[in-house]
Amino acid sequence: MRLFATERIAKVMDRLGFEDGEMIEHPMINNSIERAQKKVEENHFGVRKRLLEYDDVMNKQRTVIYEKRRHALMGERIGMDIANMIWDRVCNILENNDFTGCRERFLEVFAMEFPLSQDRLEGGNMDQLAEEVYQKVMDRFKEKTNLMAANANKVISRIYESPQGQQFENIRVPVMDGRHVYQIMVGMKEAYETKSQALVKAFEKAILLHTIDEAWKENLRLLDELKHSVQNASYEQKDPLLIFKLESVKLFDDMVNRINNKTISILMRGQVPDVDVEMQQAPAQQAPRQRPQYTESRADLTDPAQRAAAARDTREQQGPVQPIVAEKLPGRNDPCPCGSGKKFKNCHGRGL
């Protein structure tokens, strides 16, 4: 637009007889330049303001996610955040599913059976049922974490109490959830003094950070796609920014649900292999497999025909082998051998 206004001014100057480098002091020229410059700046300001409004929606979501991530990094509120996630998942499952759906969702998220019967679920107070189910899930979660710490402490204590065990500063412990193996790094001395409770906290911290980062990157990608797609709403006489704000709320809620579901699912399934059980099972698994015993037997050929058949040389040939001679075909212009009177190429020789 700036170039267009400049070209118009240049044409007016040519018609008025101005030369290059000559000062322009005519009021009409000054007013035209001022109006063109003002219009360009207003358009640029509107574009920047629109971009800031889109970025403001992302910034509000970024503030919430970074707060969650900071809590996981500091490690001071991990227990409270996990308890809030469990409470959120319990309420969400009870409110949005029937008895069959609750059983399926509990196995998927919490890796445990649904603790209520169908009559209790359909006839009880929802708030009281949510509190009861939440306490049972928390008890199950504490059992899993205590078992993880106990299994890990067997190995860590054995290594730390060895003659050279205190030379190691850190130890890497594998934690499995049934699908993946997470290598959790923890300080040797801290894990020994806390009876591997530090390992449990490090595992929870690693899972929280990993889940939040993956979900936030996916959400940023979806928001970028949404920002481009809502521009078509202007053809329907709708405000693209308003559509973007409404749809971004749905994307944010879906992201939080994914974070809560994945985090709780991994934490409820996480376990450290029991070393004593593996050592007991190792000899049985590595024991060489016994080879089957075979016995040899020889049949007594008393029948003269069987005795003669056994002594016969099967390599003997019955007479000389005659070579196979290919039959000579008639020429294309020769009469057909079938007796039709036609040439061979127009009768049985057609297509050869």
Side-chain angles (χ1 to χ4, degrees):
M1 189 169 188
R2 185 192 303 270
L3 180 62
F4 178 71
T6 305
E7 291 177 351
R8 291 184 59 187
I9 294 172
K11 292 179 180 179
V12 172
M13 291 173 59
D14 292 339
R15 287 199 298 266
L16 295 177
F18 288 96
E19 298 180 358
D20 295 340
E22 188 176 355
M23 296 295 295
I24 304 174
E25 297 181 357
H26 197 282
M28 182 183 69
I29 301 299
N30 294 336
N31 293 334
S32 298
I33 295 175
E34 183 179 356
R35 287 194 300 268
Q37 184 66 26
K38 186 177 180 180
K39 188 66 175 178
V40 170
E41 291 179 355
E42 287 178 354
N43 290 337
H44 289 175
F45 176 78
V47 172
R48 290 193 298 268
K49 182 180 178 181
R50 201 68 168 175
L51 290 176
L52 289 176
E53 289 175 347
Y54 280 102
D55 291 341
D56 185 61
V57 176
M58 295 184 181
N59 187 56
K60 291 179 180 178
Q61 297 186 8
R62 186 181 296 109
T63 302
V64 178
I65 291 299
Y66 280 21
E67 185 72 18
K68 288 178 174 290
R69 199 176 190 280
R70 184 164 56 252
H71 291 166
L73 279 173
M74 300 301 294
E76 298 177 355
R77 292 190 40 169
I78 288 182
M80 185 181 300
D81 290 341
I82 293 175
N84 292 335
M85 289 181 180
I86 293 177
W87 171 257
D88 178 75
R89 292 299 87 194
V90 168
C91 294
N92 182 272
I93 292 174
L94 292 179
E95 292 174 358
N96 299 322
N97 296 276
D98 55 3
F99 178 72
T100 303
C102 287
R103 293 185 60 185
E104 294 177 355
R105 292 292 293 161
F106 257 70
L107 289 174
E108 180 181 353
V109 178
F110 298 111
M112 59 179 291
E113 292 289 341
F114 186 58
L116 298 178
S117 62
Q118 186 172 1
D119 297 336
R120 286 284 312 282
L121 179 63
E122 296 175 353
N125 187 0
M126 188 59 64
D127 295 336
Q128 296 179 356
L129 294 178
E131 185 67 28
E132 179 182 350
V133 173
Y134 169 75
Q135 291 297 331
K136 293 183 178 181
V137 174
M138 287 299 298
D139 294 341
R140 175 65 175 172
F141 177 69
K142 291 178 181 178
E143 290 178 3
K144 295 285 292 184
T145 55
N146 292 335
L147 179 61
M148 180 190 301
N151 291 338
N153 193 54
K154 297 177 182 178
V155 181
I156 294 175
S157 299
R158 189 178 307 170
I159 297 175
Y160 188 80
E161 295 173 356
S162 62
Q164 299 178 351
Q166 299 184 8
Q167 298 179 0
F168 300 102
E169 183 178 356
N170 297 315
I171 184 172
R172 192 185 301 273
V173 181
V175 181
M176 302 179 297
D177 68 340
R179 292 183 178 180
H180 305 90
V181 179
Y182 303 92
Q183 301 293 338
I184 306 302
M185 182 75 72
V186 65
M188 175 70 77
K189 183 178 181 181
E190 183 184 7
Y192 177 77
E193 292 176 351
T194 59
K195 296 183 178 180
S196 298
Q197 290 297 329
L199 171 67
V200 176
K201 188 174 182 180
F203 174 62
E204 295 172 352
K205 175 181 177 180
I207 296 304
L208 271 173
L209 291 176
H210 174 72
T211 307
I212 291 174
D213 291 346
E214 292 296 323
W216 177 240
K217 288 188 293 185
E218 178 66 17
N219 187 68
L220 287 178
R221 186 186 65 81
L222 295 176
L223 285 175
D224 188 63
E225 293 180 355
L226 177 63
K227 184 168 63 175
H228 290 85
S229 63
V230 295
Q231 302 303 323
N232 297 327
S234 59
Y235 297 108
E236 302 177 3
Q237 303 299 321
K238 296 180 181 179
D239 186 7
L241 180 61
L242 180 60
I243 303 298
F244 179 78
K245 290 181 178 180
L246 295 176
E247 294 296 329
S248 63
V249 173
K250 298 179 182 178
L251 292 178
F252 183 78
D253 292 339
D254 293 340
M255 178 188 63
V256 174
N257 288 332
R258 290 198 306 271
I259 292 175
N260 294 344
N261 285 333
K262 189 173 182 179
T263 301
I264 299 303
S265 177
I266 295 176
L267 294 180
M268 294 294 290
R269 290 173 170 83
Q271 59 180 348
V272 175
D274 193 349
V275 180
D276 293 340
V277 175
E278 288 190 350
M279 292 179 63
Q280 293 175 4
Q281 294 178 352
Q285 294 175 356
Q286 298 177 1
R289 186 175 61 182
Q290 295 182 356
R291 297 182 178 179
Q293 300 295 330
Y294 297 97
T295 58
E296 296 182 358
S297 61
R298 180 177 298 176
D300 186 11
L301 302 178
T302 58
D303 189 0
Q306 294 180 357
R307 200 176 299 144
R312 184 182 306 161
D313 188 0
T314 57
R315 294 172 295 178
E316 296 179 357
Q317 298 179 354
Q318 301 296 330
V321 178
Q322 299 294 333
I324 299 176
V325 180
E327 184 179 359
K328 184 178 179 181
L329 295 176
R332 291 175 52 82
N333 295 320
D334 295 340
C336 186
C338 67
S340 62
K342 299 180 180 179
K343 293 183 178 181
F344 180 69
K345 64 179 181 180
N346 296 328
C347 190
H348 285 80
R350 183 179 299 171
L352 295 179

